[in-house]
Amino acid sequence: MRLYHHLTCGVFVKRLNRFSALCDIGNTIHTVHVKNTGRLGELLIPGTKVWLEQSDNPLRKTAFDLVAVETPFGCVNIDSQAPNRIFREWAESGRWHADAAQWRSEVTRGDSRFDFAYTRNGSIGFVEVKGVTLFDERRIALFPDAPTLRGVKHLQGLIRAREEGCEAGVCFILQAEDVRGFAPNDVQHPAFGEALRAAHSAGVDIRALRCRVTPEGSTALGEVPVMLSSPGFRKNQQ
């Protein structure tokens, strides 16, 4: 899936805050918008090659969006808006369930708001999508890279949906191609791992998709194994 059209490469200098960073583009330092508020500490390393999309809005404070990072195991997309687009294209092609139909975005049920809802066999199903950008030296994808109370709440909402007779699932979009599997990052946030295992026990469908990532975009390739017991994290050697 092509996501960007006006790309340029640069070198990451430093993170300013959750939303902005400094990058060297053509030997000029620019303040750029970071399209992911996560920590990204293993990716955004000074001196790393990055990819940026230039905005065509002259009124913006920043002219560039940082969307991807080059790593020892390939290009990694960090755009937090990309996973939902990738999942929807994949799901609507019949690969979540072949007979799932009427896909809708941002659907509220009770006190939960899920990324997607669909109908199947006369009933409704819900799916929450999580983008994954943390990978260790064994090519294991891990989520989250920082504590996420919101992520735990989403899993609890999916469990309630199952208890009420609905289908429910969570799909982790792994934003790199050379990935062997997925596991919850119990070291970073034990409560999320516990919630994911509780969701599995409740019948929530848990899947992980690796993607072919280029600077221009990202496309789901297929599922990889989900390991519910975290293997821990081993830092990549840059």
Side-chain angles (χ1 to χ4, degrees):
M1 170 182 282
R2 181 154 189 154
L3 300 170
Y4 317 109
H5 296 277
H6 305 292
L7 284 177
T8 187
C9 65
V11 176
F12 181 77
V13 177
K14 70 175 182 178
R15 191 88 177 250
L16 297 176
N17 52 47
R18 294 173 63 203
F19 305 99
S20 62
L22 296 180
C23 290
D24 185 337
I25 305 172
N27 296 318
T28 301
I29 303 298
H30 292 261
T31 299
V32 305
H33 174 61
V34 180
K35 295 199 75 174
N36 190 315
T37 59
R39 186 172 60 85
L40 305 177
E42 289 76 20
L43 293 175
L44 297 181
I45 300 169
T48 298
K49 181 179 178 180
V50 295
W51 291 94
L52 307 106
E53 183 179 41
Q54 186 166 9
S55 173
D56 56 7
N57 181 356
L59 300 179
R60 273 187 41 160
K61 291 182 179 180
T62 55
F64 295 93
D65 291 317
L66 200 170
V67 297
V69 181
E70 293 290 346
T71 77
F73 48 93
C75 187
V76 174
N77 184 288
I78 66 166
D79 182 354
S80 61
Q81 297 176 357
N84 282 25
R85 296 176 63 183
I86 295 164
F87 174 81
R88 183 158 196 163
E89 179 183 71
W90 180 81
E92 288 186 334
S93 70
R95 285 177 281 185
W96 180 257
H97 290 296
D99 53 351
Q102 297 178 327
W103 285 92
R104 294 173 287 144
S105 302
E106 300 294 330
V107 178
T108 299
R109 182 181 180 87
D111 63 352
S112 297
R113 186 171 185 176
F114 299 116
D115 287 323
F116 293 99
Y118 62 91
T119 57
R120 179 171 177 254
N121 298 326
S123 62
I124 190 169
F126 301 95
V127 181
E128 187 65 22
V129 176
K130 303 294 183 187
V132 182
T133 59
L134 178 62
F135 310 93
D136 74 4
E137 65 179 13
R138 297 160 299 181
R139 304 303 191 254
I140 301 298
L142 298 164
F143 184 92
D145 72 346
T148 170
L149 296 177
R150 183 170 179 266
V152 171
K153 182 177 182 294
H154 284 148
L155 292 175
Q156 293 170 342
L158 291 171
I159 291 171
R160 286 194 296 274
R162 283 293 297 140
E163 291 172 344
E164 294 166 0
C166 300
E167 291 187 350
V170 57
C171 188
F172 295 92
I173 304 297
L174 317 182
Q175 290 285 31
E177 182 171 352
D178 187 11
V179 184
R180 294 176 48 240
F182 167 82
N185 192 354
D186 285 318
V187 173
Q188 185 59 246
H189 194 189
F192 183 86
E194 293 171 4
L196 190 66
R197 289 182 282 274
H200 173 72
S201 297
V204 174
D205 194 356
I206 302 171
R207 306 197 203 180
L209 298 178
R210 69 185 180 98
C211 295
R212 174 168 293 128
V213 179
T214 66
E216 293 80 14
S218 182
T219 302
L221 292 177
E223 298 184 43
V224 299
V226 173
M227 299 170 283
L228 291 175
S229 295
S230 174
F233 174 74
R234 293 182 185 173
K235 186 175 182 180
N236 286 289
Q237 299 299 314
Q238 296 288 329

